[in-house]
């Protein structure tokens, strides 16, 4: 039963609200919900309507081409015909690897020569060049490379004609880069007169990057080399600056003239990355061999219920693993939160102090404390060891929808429907308040410098926690119900009421993937990243199922059943790539594991 906390409200406080009767206290996607939108000035009270059924945009499934034993694979490797020409055997068919006139043969030989040199097999590399007739680089290019690394700048510029540079643009940029290095090295050696000559007579006449020229001229004022290197963000002639210069110059030189460094190694890394991405069930950190095609069996995916936690007396709205992966915590409509042990598969503490539904919780970075919040407008701080409520914070005027810790474990942020987002200390002091957005969910990056939040008005907000400034606002096209950050904090996963999940690139501030299929129209449904390298996207659904997609392809790979009623929240173990948890309206929390119930280190306890 949902308690009416709003004065003069005509909403019937005694009327029970279930999933089938219309209004739901966790229902944050109703158009006429009881809180004002971020642009409203008058308070509207619930009228219990439902959303009109959205039109469903079906996304065609991505077809992944069948692999033909990989790129350049063979059953017996490379064979030689009687006339000495190289051949490859692929799927039983023999074809010429390359004729002497084919450019692929030259490319392959040159890459092999470079790889041999990188690995220290210089004699073998020289022999291969001699036998094949293909040189890795011309003598002029070799002199150019050597000249850059030795700082022979006049020689380097004299060799420009051999590099096939664009005379109208690229040659100016390359000259600028080289002369800039020359200038900085002269300053480092305190040869001020020569440095001034280089600046005035060699750099300035290029008429390129005036802003950079002004900065370079200011470096003359530094009295010692250490200050120069620090201010210029440059590590000097004896550091890596010349190697970095060579890499920068190579961007303007045809790769056929100067082969990029470690090119074969880069190509092999690309090949293994493609194999990993093409594997729908990739969930292994084992080495991917070049000898055969990589395929993960479905048995490595956690698709079976291994245990069911039953103690809550009403719908479970949120579930989260502790950071060390040893515990699980759940928040429920029954006004409690429960801490569960994954070792004993039993409850540790039942946290009872809230006077209304608990909708969210957050583990402290060291797992010694938990924050809970919900419909009673309060935030409570708990001791994980004792289960004691340490502090109750009552500054919010309306339900608290989300909270998150900063990495120091001494501060946290809470978001609410009252349009105030507070930055707190553990003693209840509010350090700062962002106002104006009715927050539905929020997340903080691992450095504690940035917060990403979603609001009722279909927007994503990015805040700089250090400067307290709002950095960006991104628009969506439907009600947003939850947000989850990737482990590298570069991407945000957002659930929408239109049966879609969007993957946002936070840096580029654009949607890069969309995932379709789960059922979500009325309730708050939460999704998460999961698996090795977070290669899966997992979401609850209003149809009692759990939906799983391949992150890169956006291909749906699993629909998992077991719950009876909406699945509200899913959370993947931070330490075990073969385990996740789900929470539902059937009052239960389920643990999911691989069919053989084994994790990446050994056995996993099951019921």
């Amino acid at each position: 039963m949902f308690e009416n906390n709003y004065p003069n409200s005509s909403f019937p406080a005694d009327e029970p609200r279930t999933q089938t009767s219309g209004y739901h206290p966790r229902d944050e996607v109703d158009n006429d919900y009881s809180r004002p939108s971020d642009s409203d000035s008058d308070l509207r009270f619930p009228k219990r309507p439902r959303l009109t059924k959205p039109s469903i945009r079906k996304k065609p499934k991505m077809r992944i081409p069948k692999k033909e034993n990989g790129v350049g694979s063979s059953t017996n490797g490379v064979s030689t015909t009687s006339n000495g020409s190289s051949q490859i055997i692929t799927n039983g068919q023999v074809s010429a690897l390359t004729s002497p006139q084919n450019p692929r043969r030259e490319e392959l030989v040159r890459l092999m020569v470079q790889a041999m040199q990188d690995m220290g097999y210089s004699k073998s590399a020289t022999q291969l060049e001699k036998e094949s007739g293909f040189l890795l680089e011309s003598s002029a290019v070799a002199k150019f490379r050597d000249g850059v690394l030795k700082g022979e700048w006049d020689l380097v510029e004299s060799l420009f004609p051999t590099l096939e540079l664009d005379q109208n643009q690229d040659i100016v940029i390359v000259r600028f880069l080289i002369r800039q290095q020359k200038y900085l090295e002269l300053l480092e050696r305190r040869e001020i007169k020569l440095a001034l000559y280089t600046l005035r007579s060699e750099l300035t006449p290029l008429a390129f990057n005036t802003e950079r020229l002004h900065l370079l001229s200011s470096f003359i004022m530094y009295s010692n080399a250490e200050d120069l290197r620090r201010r210029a963000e440059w590590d000097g002639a004896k550091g890596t600056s010349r190697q970095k210069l060579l890499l920068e110059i190579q961007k303007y030189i045809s790769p056929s003239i100067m082969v990029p460094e470690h090119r074969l190694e880069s190509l092999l890394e690309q090949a293994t990355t493609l194999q990993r991405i093409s594997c729908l069930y990739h969930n292994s950190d084992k080495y991917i061999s070049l000898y055969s095609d990589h395929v993960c069996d479905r048995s490595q995916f956690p698709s079976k219920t291994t245990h069911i936690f039953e103690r809550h007396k009403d719908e479970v709205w949120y579930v989260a693993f502790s950071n060390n992966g040893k515990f699980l915590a759940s928040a429920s409509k029954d006004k409690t939160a429960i801490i569960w042990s994954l070792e004993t598969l039993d409850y540790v503490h039942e946290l009872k102090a809230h006077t209304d539904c608990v909708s969210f919780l957050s583990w402290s970075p060291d797992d010694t404390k938990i924050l809970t919040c919900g419909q009673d407008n309060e935030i409570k701080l708990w001791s994980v060891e004792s289960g004691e409520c340490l502090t109750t914070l009552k500054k919010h005027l309306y339900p608290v929808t989300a909270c998150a810790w900063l990495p120091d474990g001494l501060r946290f942020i809470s978001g609410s429907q009252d349009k105030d987002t507070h930055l707190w200390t553990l003693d209840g002091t509010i350090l700062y308040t962002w106002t104006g957005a009715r927050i539905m969910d929020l997340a903080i990056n691992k450095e504690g410098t940035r917060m990403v939040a979603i609001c009722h008005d279909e927007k994503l907000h990015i805040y700089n926690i250090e400067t307290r400034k709002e950095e960006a606002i991104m628009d969506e096209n439907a009600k947003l119900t939850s947000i989850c950050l990737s482990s590298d904090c570069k991407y945000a996963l957002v659930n929408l009421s239109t049966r879609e999940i969007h993957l946002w690139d936070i840096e580029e501030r654009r949607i890069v993937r969309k995932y379709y299929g789960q059922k979500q129209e009325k309730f708050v449904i939460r999704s998460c990243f999961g698996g090795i390298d977070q290669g899966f996207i997992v979401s609850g659904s209003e149809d009692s199922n759990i939906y799983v997609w391949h992150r890169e392809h956006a291909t749906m790979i699993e629909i998992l059943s077991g719950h009876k009623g909406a699945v509200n929240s899913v959370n993947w173990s931070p330490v075990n790539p073969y385990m996740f948890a789900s929470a539902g309206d059937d009052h239960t929390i389920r643990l999911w594991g691989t069919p053989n119930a084994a994790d990446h280190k050994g056995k996993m306890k099951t019921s």
Side-chain angles (χ1 to χ4, degrees):
M1 186 178 297
F2 182 76
E3 182 177 341
N4 180 7
N5 291 325
Y6 309 120
N8 303 320
S9 171
S10 59
F11 190 87
D14 297 330
E15 182 177 345
R17 287 174 287 181
T18 66
Q19 187 174 341
T20 57
S21 65
Y23 182 81
H24 195 290
R26 67 147 188 265
D27 183 351
E28 304 295 351
V29 300
D30 283 344
N31 281 334
D32 291 313
Y33 189 63
S34 60
R35 301 288 164 262
S37 72
D38 291 359
S39 59
D40 288 343
S41 59
D42 298 324
L43 184 65
R44 295 197 306 270
F45 297 101
K47 299 178 182 178
R48 302 176 58 192
R50 292 178 180 267
L51 287 174
T52 56
K53 189 172 184 180
S55 58
I56 306 303
R57 294 160 49 198
K58 293 185 177 180
K59 181 176 181 180
K61 291 184 178 179
M62 177 177 288
R63 297 181 60 188
I64 300 176
K66 293 182 179 179
K67 292 175 286 188
E68 300 178 358
N69 294 332
V71 179
S73 62
S74 64
T75 55
N76 293 313
V78 178
S79 66
T80 305
T81 60
S82 58
N83 62 7
S85 61
S86 297
Q87 295 178 330
I88 278 187
I89 303 174
T90 306
N91 294 336
Q93 296 182 348
V94 180
S95 61
L97 171 65
T98 49
S99 67
Q101 293 77 28
N102 194 315
R104 184 70 72 202
R105 177 172 185 154
E106 179 180 352
E107 290 178 350
L108 182 57
V109 169
R110 292 177 68 192
L111 292 177
M112 291 168 64
V113 170
Q114 185 192 56
M116 287 179 176
Q117 291 179 350
D118 290 343
M119 291 184 288
Y121 306 136
S122 56
K123 291 182 180 179
S124 298
T126 301
Q127 182 63 29
L128 180 56
E129 284 183 313
K130 182 178 179 180
E131 187 174 345
S132 67
F134 299 129
L135 297 178
L136 173 61
E137 296 175 338
S138 69
S139 59
V141 171
K143 287 181 181 179
F144 177 85
R145 182 189 296 276
D146 192 53
V148 171
L149 296 178
K150 290 181 178 180
E152 298 173 350
W153 309 121
D154 292 338
L155 172 64
V156 167
E157 291 205 34
S158 72
L159 293 171
F160 278 3
T162 66
L163 304 179
E164 299 183 7
L165 293 167
D166 184 335
Q167 296 295 316
N168 296 324
Q169 181 178 3
D170 291 350
I171 196 168
V172 175
I173 299 173
V174 173
R175 284 190 192 279
F176 186 89
L177 292 172
I178 289 172
R179 293 175 182 179
Q180 174 183 247
Q181 178 77 14
K182 176 182 177 181
Y183 168 75
L184 290 172
E185 290 189 14
L186 288 169
L187 284 180
E188 185 181 35
R189 297 197 300 266
R190 307 312 298 159
E191 298 180 30
I192 304 302
K193 289 184 178 180
L194 286 177
L196 275 172
Y197 177 83
T198 301
L199 179 67
R200 293 170 179 172
S201 303
E202 297 181 9
L203 277 166
T204 303
L206 294 175
F208 177 78
N209 200 339
T210 304
E211 184 178 348
R212 180 64 178 172
L213 272 174
H214 290 159
L215 180 62
L216 290 173
S217 65
S218 70
F219 295 157
I220 294 177
M221 306 301 295
Y222 299 126
S223 58
N224 58 65
E226 185 179 346
D227 283 345
L228 169 69
R229 289 190 290 266
R230 185 177 65 255
R231 297 289 184 175
E233 297 180 351
W234 175 78
D235 64 357
K238 294 182 179 180
T240 61
S241 63
R242 289 178 180 174
Q243 288 87 344
K244 291 178 180 178
L245 172 63
L246 187 60
L247 290 175
E248 186 66 24
I249 291 173
Q250 280 194 256
K251 296 177 182 178
Y252 304 95
I253 301 173
S254 169
S256 64
I257 300 295
M258 182 181 286
V259 178
E261 288 192 352
H262 314 301
R263 182 57 183 163
L264 183 58
E265 184 179 343
S266 297
L267 289 172
L268 295 177
E269 184 63 30
Q270 291 175 27
T272 55
T273 298
L274 178 62
Q275 293 250 13
R276 176 178 56 79
I277 291 175
S278 299
C279 177
L280 285 181
Y281 285 97
H282 181 75
N283 200 28
S284 171
D285 56 2
K286 293 182 179 179
Y287 170 73
I288 297 179
S289 172
L290 298 171
Y291 293 135
S292 61
D293 292 343
H294 171 75
V295 177
C296 284
D297 189 83
R298 181 177 179 268
S299 63
Q300 292 179 276
F301 183 82
S303 58
K304 299 294 182 182
T305 298
T306 59
H307 186 74
I308 301 175
F309 292 107
E310 297 178 285
R311 188 174 180 84
H312 282 294
K313 298 177 178 58
D314 212 326
E315 300 162 0
V316 187
W317 290 351
Y318 190 76
V319 65
F321 284 93
S322 60
N323 298 290
N324 60 19
K326 295 181 179 181
F327 299 94
L328 194 66
S330 54
S332 173
K333 183 183 177 182
D334 67 7
K335 306 178 185 179
T336 71
I338 296 179
I339 299 173
W340 311 87
S341 169
L342 296 181
E343 295 180 354
T344 65
L345 295 177
D346 201 357
Y347 84 98
V348 179
H349 297 296
E350 189 169 356
L351 311 180
K352 297 180 178 180
H354 283 278
T355 58
D356 209 329
C357 315
V358 182
S359 57
F360 199 90
L361 56 84
S362 180
W363 290 87
S364 65
D366 62 2
D367 292 327
T368 62
K369 302 177 183 66
I370 280 185
L371 291 168
T372 59
C373 56
Q375 299 290 329
D376 58 5
N377 312 345
E378 295 180 354
I379 304 167
K380 292 185 181 294
L381 177 67
W382 304 81
S383 165
V384 171
E385 182 179 5
S386 67
E388 176 188 1
C389 181
L390 304 175
T391 308
T392 298
L393 308 174
K394 301 181 179 182
K395 296 293 185 179
H396 284 294
L397 302 178
Y398 294 128
V400 186
T401 52
C403 53
W405 291 84
L406 270 68
D408 59 15
L410 303 175
R411 297 169 296 163
F412 63 90
I413 296 177
S414 63
S416 170
Q417 296 167 5
D418 62 9
K419 299 187 180 181
D420 285 340
T421 303
H422 297 313
L423 172 62
W424 303 81
T425 61
L426 293 184
D427 63 2
T429 301
I430 295 178
L431 299 176
Y432 189 79
T433 298
W434 292 271
T435 61
R438 183 178 144 200
I439 300 300
M440 312 308 295
D441 198 2
L442 61 86
I444 298 173
N445 67 356
K446 60 186 177 183
E447 294 80 17
T449 58
R450 177 181 284 179
M451 172 176 61
V452 185
I454 56 174
C455 75
H456 181 266
D457 282 356
E458 304 175 7
K459 300 179 188 297
L460 284 81
H461 301 261
I462 300 178
Y463 299 95
N464 187 308
I465 296 175
E466 295 177 327
T467 65
R468 316 289 201 243
K469 302 296 184 182
E470 185 171 45
E471 293 182 347
I473 300 177
M474 291 97 79
D475 292 324
E476 269 287 8
N477 57 10
K479 296 296 181 185
L480 311 177
T481 66
S482 67
I483 187 169
C484 175
L485 288 183
S486 60
S487 58
D488 59 12
C489 303
K490 294 180 180 178
Y491 299 92
L493 198 62
V494 180
N495 277 55
L496 286 79
S497 61
T498 51
R499 304 186 182 187
E500 297 179 19
I501 300 172
H502 291 175
L503 181 65
W504 279 84
D505 184 317
I506 297 176
E507 299 299 326
E508 297 185 7
R509 295 167 189 175
R510 64 185 181 92
I511 298 172
V512 293
R513 297 280 188 283
K514 293 184 179 182
Y515 307 92
Y516 301 86
Q518 93 286 4
K519 307 301 184 291
Q520 179 176 5
E521 296 180 44
K522 301 180 299 175
F523 302 149
V524 171
I525 301 295
R526 300 182 184 276
S527 59
C528 70
F529 298 91
I532 291 286
D533 300 324
Q534 296 196 323
F536 304 116
I537 302 297
V538 188
S539 179
S541 178
E542 292 179 10
D543 64 359
S544 307
N545 294 319
I546 296 168
Y547 289 78
V548 186
W549 297 264
H550 189 282
R551 176 174 167 177
E552 293 296 327
H553 301 310
T555 303
M556 186 186 297
I557 61 175
E558 291 287 344
I559 301 177
L560 306 177
S561 60
H563 280 282
K564 297 177 181 179
V567 181
N568 305 310
S569 176
V570 290
N571 191 251
W572 207 287
S573 170
V575 299
N576 185 347
Y578 306 103
M579 180 193 291
F580 72 91
S582 60
D585 277 4
D586 57 5
H587 310 179
T588 69
I589 300 102
R590 286 176 175 257
L591 282 182
W592 298 82
T594 56
N596 59 5
D599 67 11
H600 64 310
K601 292 182 179 179
K603 295 181 179 180
M604 180 176 69
K605 291 185 177 182
T606 62
S607 58

